[in-house]
Amino acid sequence: MKREKKIQNSPINVWLIEDNLAYSNTISKLINNTSGMKCLKVFSMCEDSIKNFSPEELPDVVLLDIGLPGINGIQCIGKLKQISTDIQIVILTVYDDNDKLFDALCSGASGYLLKDSSPEKIISSIKEVKMGGAPMNMLIANKVLKMFSSFKQTKSDYGLTDREREILQYIVDGLTKQQIADKIFLSFHTVNTHIKNIYNKLHVHSRSGVVTKVFKENII
Amino acid sequence: MKREKKIQNSPINVWLIEDNLAYSNTISKLINNTSGMKCLKVFSMCEDSIKNFSPEELPDVVLLDIGLPGINGIQCIGKLKQISTDIQIVILTVYDDNDKLFDALCSGASGYLLKDSSPEKIISSIKEVKMGGAPMNMLIANKVLKMFSSFKQTKSDYGLTDREREILQYIVDGLTKQQIADKIFLSFHTVNTHIKNIYNKLHVHSRSGVVTKVFKENII
DNA sequence: TAATCAATCGCACGAATGTGGTATAATGCT
DNA sequence: AGCATTATACCACATTCGTGCGATTGATTA
């Protein structure tokens, strides 16, 4: 009973990592003026946040500005997550380029906000990420989804036949011509011919070339 | 002036592809009872939506249930996008597994809602996607971001030295030992030795093996 | 100081590769 | 019926590869 009450009532412990003093003042005040959350620590560098922490008072949510001096802000995400995966990290930045966004998400960020976000959006994002959500600006969410569609494999085929594709797979697996011949009960010469044709179709002249092409262009 | 007014006032043209009649009735009524949007067509199969369309009356937004009979709902996304990339597709489904989600996003979906979403969420999502956003449920957004962190390369290294890594890159590029030697002004024998060491460290015995390992385990 | 490691260079040789041919039977298309 | 494609098979040969061995130099470390 007491425990339950504590969990419900304990404010969300928010840390802020941000080098712009004016902005960090604004945000920390905003948070502290909101019931249900407290901005307990403010750092201007990632290093400080990692050094100055004690295991008892881990943050629930970290608002992190990437692109500030000192070590790479992106790396900071990983280091914080290393301390505890329970720390939810929300990026708060002016950068909206795909590279930073992608790197931040890959490193384990749970949210991504641009600095032009409204105070209401920032507050709701803190609540949302605490509840297991992934707050983002509309623009950011759109970029994230577009990244997926850019993953879409073009599946080049180069007009390979089924047999050629089969043998190509064995080449990628590292088998020699003789091993391939044995495996699919063909003559060494037949395998040799197929490989010749594969090389012609893919315009390569070596095993390394063909394997690299297979992976880079998602053949097979 | 007149044009501007038309753009502002023309309702969002929404299509619904959904085989559950009760649910599709509910949703289409919900949309038609909301000012600013109209549900002009309802299909129970993807095929119908692709056949029965005329270039003049393209939808702005399609609410698509994946996992209904007929062709794969995922493929439907691609086909609709092929007709026009301006069509914004929002998935509306009961499935929340990573595979369906991933495939849908890769195929070009601009939003992903679960069927337990509130009517308000559905309406706001239609507006949001029209404005260039990417509406998702909290749970879905979280899954999407988690997918990114699962991409994170482990960067196996196998204790390769800088020189070895350099030569490994040339192998991947398809150069022969002699070509590598010429390129970095080394003796053929030195390159040979480096490659021997690389093979030992990576536990491979052929060029195909080493290249495959490089790509599968993100070495270099 | 001794030891270890990385980078360099060398030789030898069997195994495998890449490439130039040619040829036959089966299948499908038009 | 004729043509194209595919899969099959063979030969030959120069090139390249993989791997066994050993050796010297310089830098770093114990």
Side-chain angles (χ1 to χ4, degrees):
Chain A
M1 199 63 168
K2 207 175 175 184
R3 181 187 218 98
E4 195 179 59
K5 200 173 172 189
K6 184 168 185 293
I7 288 174
Q8 285 177 343
N9 290 350
S10 70
I12 303 173
N13 181 353
V14 182
W15 286 10
L16 182 56
I17 306 178
E18 164 65 57
D19 67 330
N20 182 322
L21 233 79
Y23 190 74
S24 71
N25 274 336
T26 309
I27 299 298
S28 64
K29 274 182 194 158
L30 169 68
I31 294 171
N32 286 323
N33 286 333
T34 305
S35 73
M37 57 183 71
K38 283 287 161 202
C39 181
L40 293 183
K41 299 207 177 186
V42 179
F43 304 99
S44 61
M45 286 201 297
C46 297
E47 290 92 328
D48 299 342
S49 68
I50 293 157
K51 284 175 195 159
N52 296 1
F53 91 101
S54 61
E56 301 87 32
E57 44 179 38
L58 289 180
D60 300 305
V61 176
V62 173
L63 294 185
L64 173 61
D65 181 11
I66 51 178
L68 34 82
I71 61 163
N72 191 327
I74 300 287
Q75 294 174 305
C76 187
I77 302 169
K79 302 216 169 173
L80 288 170
K81 277 288 181 184
Q82 216 172 313
I83 293 169
S84 167
T85 53
D86 291 338
I87 303 175
Q88 300 302 315
I89 298 164
V90 176
I91 307 300
L92 188 55
T93 183
V94 293
Y95 300 105
D96 68 343
D97 59 284
N98 281 341
D99 287 346
K100 279 231 171 45
L101 174 59
F102 183 78
D103 290 341
L105 299 185
C106 288
S107 301
S110 300
Y112 202 105
L113 296 176
L114 296 178
K115 281 202 176 171
D116 62 9
S117 302
S118 67
E120 295 77 28
K121 177 71 179 170
I122 293 175
I123 293 301
S124 72
S125 294
I126 293 172
K127 290 176 184 164
E128 192 178 334
V129 79
K130 185 71 203 304
M131 284 162 60
M136 290 174 272
N137 296 109
M138 227 174 71
L139 175 84
I140 296 296
N142 190 256
K143 278 184 179 246
V144 169
L145 293 212
K146 285 222 174 98
M147 280 181 191
F148 278 94
S149 47
S150 74
F151 292 159
K152 197 178 178 183
Q153 328 280 25
T154 38
K155 270 281 180 192
S156 338
D157 70 336
Y158 291 93
L160 292 181
T161 67
D162 288 348
R163 199 50 146 175
E164 285 163 355
R165 208 169 281 113
E166 182 186 7
I167 289 176
L168 180 51
Q169 179 63 60
Y170 288 127
I171 291 179
V172 171
D173 291 343
L175 301 196
T176 66
K177 295 175 183 179
Q178 190 57 61
Q179 287 172 326
I180 297 173
D182 294 345
K183 175 150 273 182
I184 55 182
F185 307 107
L186 283 181
S187 154
F188 169 87
H189 302 289
T190 307
V191 174
N192 197 29
T193 303
H194 282 307
I195 292 179
K196 272 190 286 190
N197 294 334
I198 293 171
Y199 280 19
N200 280 329
K201 288 183 180 177
L202 300 197
H203 311 116
V204 296
H205 306 278
S206 69
R207 269 169 149 58
S208 12
V210 82
V211 176
T212 299
K213 195 145 194 166
V214 162
F215 281 101
K216 284 198 175 163
E217 305 191 15
N218 265 92
I219 305 165
I220 309 186
Chain B
M1 197 65 166
K2 208 176 176 183
R3 183 187 216 95
E4 197 178 59
K5 200 175 177 186
K6 183 166 187 293
I7 288 174
Q8 284 178 343
N9 289 353
S10 70
I12 303 173
N13 181 354
V14 182
W15 285 10
L16 182 56
I17 306 179
E18 163 66 57
D19 68 329
N20 182 321
L21 232 79
Y23 190 74
S24 71
N25 273 337
T26 309
I27 299 297
S28 64
K29 274 180 193 158
L30 170 67
I31 293 171
N32 285 323
N33 286 334
T34 305
S35 73
M37 57 184 71
K38 284 287 160 205
C39 181
L40 293 183
K41 300 209 178 186
V42 179
F43 304 98
S44 61
M45 285 201 297
C46 297
E47 291 91 327
D48 299 341
S49 68
I50 293 157
K51 284 176 198 159
N52 297 359
F53 91 100
S54 61
E56 300 88 31
E57 44 179 38
L58 289 180
D60 299 304
V61 176
V62 174
L63 294 185
L64 172 62
D65 181 10
I66 50 179
L68 34 81
I71 61 163
N72 191 328
I74 301 287
Q75 295 173 304
C76 187
I77 303 170
K79 301 216 169 170
L80 288 170
K81 277 287 181 186
Q82 215 172 312
I83 293 170
S84 167
T85 53
D86 291 338
I87 303 174
Q88 300 302 316
I89 297 164
V90 176
I91 306 301
L92 188 54
T93 183
V94 293
Y95 299 105
D96 68 342
D97 59 284
N98 281 341
D99 287 345
K100 279 227 171 46
L101 174 58
F102 183 78
D103 290 341
L105 298 186
C106 288
S107 301
S110 301
Y112 201 104
L113 297 176
L114 296 177
K115 280 201 177 172
D116 61 8
S117 303
S118 66
E120 296 77 29
K121 177 70 179 170
I122 292 175
I123 292 300
S124 72
S125 294
I126 293 172
K127 290 177 185 163
E128 192 178 335
V129 79
K130 185 71 205 304
M131 283 162 59
M136 289 173 272
N137 296 108
M138 224 173 72
L139 176 84
I140 296 296
N142 191 254
K143 278 183 180 247
V144 169
L145 293 212
K146 286 221 175 97
M147 281 181 191
F148 278 95
S149 46
S150 74
F151 293 159
K152 197 179 177 182
Q153 329 278 26
T154 40
K155 268 282 181 193
S156 338
D157 70 337
Y158 291 94
L160 292 181
T161 67
D162 289 346
R163 200 50 148 176
E164 285 163 354
R165 222 182 307 280
E166 181 186 8
I167 289 176
L168 180 51
Q169 179 62 61
Y170 288 127
I171 291 180
V172 170
D173 291 342
L175 301 196
T176 67
K177 295 173 181 179
Q178 191 57 60
Q179 287 171 327
I180 296 173
D182 293 345
K183 175 151 274 184
I184 56 182
F185 306 108
L186 282 182
S187 154
F188 169 86
H189 303 288
T190 306
V191 174
N192 197 29
T193 302
H194 282 307
I195 292 179
K196 273 190 283 190
N197 294 333
I198 293 170
Y199 280 20
N200 280 330
K201 288 183 180 177
L202 300 198
H203 311 115
V204 296
H205 305 279
S206 69
R207 270 169 149 59
S208 11
V210 83
V211 177
T212 298
K213 196 146 194 166
V214 162
F215 280 101
K216 284 198 175 163
E217 306 190 15
N218 265 93
I219 306 164
I220 309 186

